[in-house]
Structure formats: structure tokens, C-alpha cells
Amino acid sequence: MAATEYRRRERFLPFSRPTLGEEEKTEVLDSLNSGWITTGPKVVRFEEMFKERLGVNSAVSVNSGTAGLHVAVAALELGPEDEVIVPSITWAATSNVVELCGARTVFADVDPDTICMDPDDTAARITGRTRAIIPVHYAGQPADLGRFRSMTAGGNIALIQDAAHALGASYDGREIGSSGETCVFSFHPTKNITAGEGGMVTLNNEDIAERLRLLRFHGVSREARNRSGTGALAYDVILPGWKYNMLDIQAALGIHQLKKLDSMNARRRELAERYDLLLADVPEITPLGRVKYPATHSWHIYVVKLSTEAVGLDRDAFASALAEENIGTGLHFPPLHLSSYYRRKYGYEPGSLPNAEDAGKRIFSLPLFPLMTEEDQDDVVMALRKVIADNHR
Ligand SMILES: *Cc1c(COP(=O)(O)O)cnc(C)c1O
């Protein structure tokens, strides 16, 4: 399209927006009117819906995905020499919880094409002190679970899936979270479903699930938690836990969001496939590759790589130029091993994880959310073309 035909869109298009309807509003009002707004019957219902959907024994709700990762790692009772391997391209929560649990983070590189945690690089970083591996299903594309399962098969290394992006995705024909391995979901407003904020840990191991329930609520004993209405008052504190319980007003959103998950994900997929077509003849912008093993994508985000060489702008300048055209973008994520804390603690230098570092300079996320229209999407692609044309070397 010639630059003369270009028209800047009038209203800013955010990179993500939640899809909230009348059902969510009515359910929240029901909580507010009932006099019971904190953890209660709606949280129980939301947990039951998760168990039913995924066919697992336990679904432990928490007030964020981060809290879910925190209790899942805390349940491993790691020591200061213990190591947990996580990918470098992830949200800070994945490794921060390892640090908060007093253990050591070991960063693994990512596949240059899909940005999923690289199994070969991960395997090379396993030592006698490795106690857990936390693969991230990046952007909604499952990590290569078969490979990570074989690395953790002996039972000495735990496998915790960071499935914050992957609700509704599947690996080898099975929905993520249905295997019964510890799997952590997030309901932050940008994720595939939202509860305002919130998280869920799904698993089949009832002993670990009970430990997670203790850790999410002050370490107060199950007996005490379960006897509201019986008139009994005494309780015991078994260990020092956190205050990570989900509220009923959060679950009120989540209950209706989960019912809409499949239709919302289908819309995400339609838009993603349309982006693939629209971007096919924009050589400066490359969508991420698809994994080679059987998997379905939940399309939490649509990530592309910028050819900074061809455009003559770095990624941040390019994103600022798009913002000038009223197009919002996201950054998921800069390489964590080069952030100040991790560099200071572990001495990482540039060059240590080359794929993560190269991706970190190029990737950004285009607007993608179920309520987005095809006109919105056309605006994004026209703005990309305009910024490229304005700056082309
Ligand atoms: C969003 C996210 C989390 C944390 O979830 P919150 O609900 O925001 O605490 C963890 N890991 C990844 C990869 C995420 O994108």
C-alpha cells in the first residue's frame, strides 16, 4: 500500500484487552450482595471447574500465577545450594520465586525459532544439585514436555510447568495441565482468561496439593480451615505460610471466563492465522516458528521478530514509532539472566545465552485479543508497513 493512502488510526489500540461480559458483572454483583466477598463458594466452584476440565485430582487456587509458582517451588523445600533451571526468556516471576525460596536459579537458553526453553541446553545444565526444571509454554506454545519428562523421570528432579500462557493449549494430544504434573496458570488480565488477578495450580499428588493449601494460607491447619459453621474456634499453625488465597470476587470472573475459554482461544487462533497471512510479504517482520512436535497453541501473545538491520531502527525505537501511529505493543520478555539482580548474583555476561540475547533485541508482541476486529488488525499491519517504509535503509 502506498504511503499516501495511509491513515493513522484515531484511537490507541492496546496490545491486549480482557473480554468481560454481563455474566461476569452479574456474578461479581452476586458476591458483593451476598455479604461474602473473600474465599468462599465461588472459589470452590472455580476449582471444581478446573478439576473437571483437566481431569485432575486437585486444583489449588491462589491470588496470582506468581503465588502459584511460589508455593509450588516452596513445597520442594530447597536449600541454598539447590538449583532450579528456568528459561531466560520468561516473566521475572519464574525465577524470582526460586530466589525467594532461597535456592539458585540456573538459566537455560531458548530455541531461536520458537523461543521455547531449549531441551538440549537445559540437559547440559543439569548437575547433582538440580532439584527442579520449570519449562515455560512460551506465548502459548507448549515446551517439549517429552524431553523435559525424560530429564526428570528419576524422581530426584521436579518438573513444574509455568503454563501462564498456555490455558487451552495441548501437547501430544493432551491439554496442558491434564497430565497431573504440577502446572501453574495465571489469570492476569492479559492472559487467556482473567480473574482480575489470580492463579491456579493443578496436580494429581494430593500430599503436595495439601502442602500448597497450607502455604497459600498462613500454614493454618486443614481442620481449622474446614470447620467454619461448626462453632469451633481453635486453630493450629503448622508452618509459616503466605496470604495467597483467591477471593470470591475474583472467582466470580474466572467461572464465566473459563466457560468462554474455547471460543476466546478460537478467536485468538483466527486472528493469529490472519496475521501470518498479512505478514507473509513483510520480510522485516518474522512471526515466531511453530514447534515440530505435535502441539496446539493457545495464542496468549503474537510475537514477531524485527530485522533491526533491514529497518535501521532498534526494537524499542520501532515500538515507539508504532505507538506514534496509535498501535500498542508488548515486550515478552528481555533476557532475565542479564537483568541487574541476576547478573550481580551469578555473574552472567553478554554472550552467555546467545539465542535468548538475540531474541531479546528483536522480539515484540503485536495486539492480539478476542475482541480485536479485522480492521484493527489491518491498522496494525499498515502501521508496520508505514514505519518500515519511513525508516528503510
Ligand atoms: C504472567 C506470567 C506469570 C505470573 O502470573 P501473574 O498471575 O501475573 O502473577 C508467570 N510466568 C509467566 C511466563 C507469565 O507470563
Side-chain angles (χ1 to χ4, degrees):
M1 180 168 287
T4 48
E5 295 173 46
Y6 177 77
R7 280 186 63 228
R8 177 177 180 267
R9 63 177 274 137
E10 274 168 29
R11 290 202 336 183
F12 186 77
L13 179 67
F15 94 88
S16 179
R17 252 192 93 169
T19 309
L20 297 169
E22 289 307 315
E23 303 85 346
E24 284 88 342
K25 290 178 194 165
T26 308
E27 197 74 46
V28 171
L29 272 178
D30 182 64
S31 280
L32 299 182
N33 291 330
S34 75
W36 192 275
I37 54 179
T38 187
T39 313
K42 292 191 202 300
V43 166
V44 173
R45 214 164 108 205
F46 191 35
E47 290 181 340
E48 289 300 321
M49 286 174 70
F50 250 84
K51 281 163 61 177
E52 196 165 309
R53 179 178 174 110
L54 296 174
V56 289
N57 296 341
S58 296
V60 180
S61 61
V62 279
N63 60 7
S64 71
T66 304
L69 288 167
H70 196 182
V71 292
V73 173
L76 301 174
E77 305 193 283
L78 303 178
E81 303 299 321
D82 290 335
E83 297 172 352
V84 178
I85 311 179
V86 313
S88 175
I89 301 282
T90 183
W91 177 234
T94 318
S95 58
N96 282 353
V97 300
V98 173
E99 299 295 317
L100 290 169
C101 289
R104 294 177 67 80
T105 306
V106 174
F107 288 105
D109 210 348
V110 295
D111 181 280
D113 203 29
T114 66
I115 321 280
C116 272
M117 189 175 192
D118 180 340
D120 291 321
D121 192 69
T122 304
R125 292 173 198 281
I126 293 176
T127 70
R129 298 190 194 283
T130 305
R131 294 286 313 278
I133 299 176
I134 312 182
V136 174
H137 303 309
Y138 179 77
Q141 236 188 163
D144 195 349
L145 285 174
R147 296 285 312 279
F148 293 111
R149 281 174 184 147
S150 55
M151 288 173 215
T152 55
N156 294 328
I157 304 178
L159 179 64
I160 296 173
Q161 296 175 45
D162 181 337
H165 299 183
L167 187 57
S170 67
Y171 176 85
D172 202 13
R174 296 197 63 181
E175 187 162 339
I176 294 296
S178 66
S179 63
E181 297 155 319
T182 304
C183 195
V184 182
F185 296 98
S186 161
F187 312 127
H188 178 272
T190 63
K191 302 286 157 72
N192 294 54
I193 71 169
T194 188
E197 297 276 0
M200 190 77 76
V201 188
T202 58
L203 67 168
N204 276 344
N205 185 319
E206 193 42 42
D207 292 338
I208 297 177
E210 185 48 25
R211 189 144 194 100
L212 301 184
R213 290 185 196 106
L214 273 177
L215 289 167
R216 86 174 157 185
F217 193 72
H218 305 287
V220 167
S221 67
R222 177 179 205 134
E223 295 69 39
R225 297 196 313 267
N226 283 351
R227 70 181 175 219
S228 62
T230 64
L233 296 177
Y235 58 84
D236 190 19
V237 177
I238 292 170
L239 48 79
W242 289 282
K243 178 71 166 71
Y244 282 166
N245 53 302
M246 179 182 277
L247 311 182
D248 261 23
I249 47 182
Q250 294 174 293
L253 298 174
I255 286 167
H256 293 283
Q257 290 274 294
L258 189 56
K259 291 182 189 163
K260 299 176 188 173
L261 171 67
D262 294 323
S263 64
M264 290 196 293
N265 277 3
R267 178 63 182 156
R268 286 178 180 275
R269 169 178 316 283
E270 251 170 44
L271 290 164
E273 286 172 355
R274 193 162 179 271
Y275 265 138
D276 288 348
L277 291 175
L278 294 171
L279 295 173
D281 60 347
V282 185
E284 296 83 356
I285 302 284
T286 311
L288 291 193
R290 307 293 172 80
V291 296
K292 306 244 163 27
Y293 39 88
T296 58
H297 201 314
S298 56
W299 290 110
H300 161 52
I301 42 178
Y302 190 90
V303 178
V304 296
K305 281 189 182 174
L306 177 67
S307 172
T308 51
E309 299 84 350
V311 175
L313 281 183
D314 67 25
R315 188 264 327 280
D316 286 19
F318 192 83
S320 299
L322 283 173
E324 288 290 314
E325 305 305 324
N326 269 338
I327 303 297
T329 54
L331 172 53
H332 306 93
F333 307 92
L336 258 182
H337 69 283
L338 293 184
S339 57
S340 307
Y341 170 79
Y342 292 99
R343 263 183 100 147
R344 196 166 68 237
K345 177 166 175 187
Y346 298 110
Y348 285 106
E349 289 296 334
S352 23
L353 299 172
N355 297 338
E357 290 167 32
D358 184 67
K361 294 189 184 95
R362 300 177 184 283
I363 52 174
F364 64 101
S365 306
L366 297 179
L368 179 68
F369 51 92
L371 290 176
M372 189 177 167
T373 65
E374 301 196 345
E375 293 73 56
D376 291 334
Q377 201 173 25
D378 292 339
D379 288 346
V380 174
V381 177
M382 281 193 287
L384 285 171
R385 288 182 184 279
K386 175 184 189 277
V387 172
I388 291 167
D390 286 353
N391 292 282
H392 224 293
R393 283 192 165 155

